[in-house]
Amino acid sequence: MGYCDWARTSEANRKYHDTEWGVPVHDDRLMFEHLSLECLQCGLSWNLMLRKREIFRSCFADFDYERVAGYDARDEERILGTPGMIRSPRKVQAVIGNARCFLAVRKEFGSFCDFIWSYSGGKTICYQGHDTGTVPVSNGLSLRLSRDLKKRGFRFVGPVTVYSHLQACGIINDHDRSCPCFRALSAGYPSVTLPRDAEVLPEQS
């Protein structure tokens, strides 16, 4: 079975895999949405995140980071009381706090996308061996970025969460070589092939 076979587990996963996962993101609003979804997903299934995505968008102003950064305790109460919303005050507070940190990064670098893409030199990384299914849960790159984000005040951004984010926003192309998306993304965007980087495999985590 190839790595991308997870896309067959539900219609929501198939659509997400075929149209979003691994497509390079250079829009800060969408980047914030991807990062927030990964934070909200911690300990839960990704399929659940996709099913609740419209609820999240409603709760967090379509992931308008400037508006979310201004949320207060009343907004937290409103969000936690929204039907279908996950009941995690810590995660809701993290998304709001992360929006404030997101603005600080934008002020320093011009955009959050410029900041995060600087970690890959502006290119999508294809790590050797990943296209044949040897895909880690984290690696050296996600660890370095995780540490940087935490120093900047971000929460729920451990190296495993960050690795998933790098896959989602196209900084890492982890589609299986037999997957049409692998070929399309490799041909359509600037890419670089690199050796494996301090990888932690699923059985090691």
Side-chain angles (χ1 to χ4, degrees):
M1 294 178 66
Y3 182 72
C4 287
D5 283 346
W6 62 266
R8 303 177 186 177
T9 58
S10 73
E11 178 59 23
N13 276 338
R14 185 202 62 76
K15 182 178 179 182
Y16 174 69
H17 168 276
D18 292 353
T19 63
E20 286 190 80
W21 192 70
V23 176
V25 173
H26 294 281
D27 172 80
D28 271 3
R29 191 215 61 81
L30 183 55
M31 184 69 79
F32 180 65
E33 178 172 356
H34 275 295
L35 182 61
S36 297
L37 288 175
E38 297 293 349
C39 295
L40 291 165
Q41 187 267 338
C42 289
L44 301 172
S45 74
W46 185 249
N47 201 48
L48 180 65
M49 296 301 99
L50 295 179
R51 294 205 312 269
K52 292 182 177 291
R53 194 173 188 177
E54 290 306 319
I55 296 173
F56 298 150
R57 285 172 171 166
S58 175
C59 287
F60 295 109
D62 199 28
F63 292 101
D64 181 334
Y65 44 84
E66 291 185 334
R67 290 181 60 185
V68 175
Y71 282 2
D72 57 20
R74 290 171 298 178
D75 291 296
E76 292 179 25
E77 185 177 353
R78 167 184 59 80
I79 291 168
L80 290 169
T82 300
M85 180 61 187
I86 59 173
R87 305 288 189 247
S88 173
R90 291 179 65 241
K91 288 183 179 180
V92 170
Q93 292 162 6
V95 171
I96 295 170
N98 287 352
R100 295 166 185 159
C101 298
F102 198 91
L103 289 179
V105 171
R106 279 175 51 83
K107 183 175 181 180
E108 180 177 351
F109 291 89
S111 80
F112 188 88
C113 288
D114 285 349
F115 159 72
I116 197 168
W117 277 96
S118 70
Y119 270 82
S120 69
K123 295 182 179 181
T124 296
I125 299 171
C126 299
Y127 285 108
Q128 293 172 357
H130 289 202
D131 56 352
T132 59
T134 306
V135 179
V137 295
S138 68
N139 73 346
L141 176 62
S142 72
L143 178 60
R144 292 189 294 275
L145 179 55
S146 170
R147 288 173 173 168
D148 194 351
L149 290 172
K150 287 179 179 179
K151 284 194 299 184
R152 296 173 183 276
F154 287 82
R155 289 182 285 169
F156 283 91
V157 288
V160 174
T161 295
V162 169
Y163 190 86
S164 293
H165 178 62
L166 295 174
Q167 290 176 308
C169 68
I171 292 177
I172 296 175
N173 180 358
D174 270 347
H175 283 280
D176 195 277
R177 181 170 289 275
S178 63
C179 176
C181 294
F182 177 87
R183 295 188 294 273
L185 294 172
S186 297
Y189 298 91
S191 302
V192 61
T193 299
L194 297 179
R196 296 173 181 174
D197 178 13
E199 298 183 349
V200 177
L201 298 174
E203 60 267 22
Q204 299 173 327
S205 61

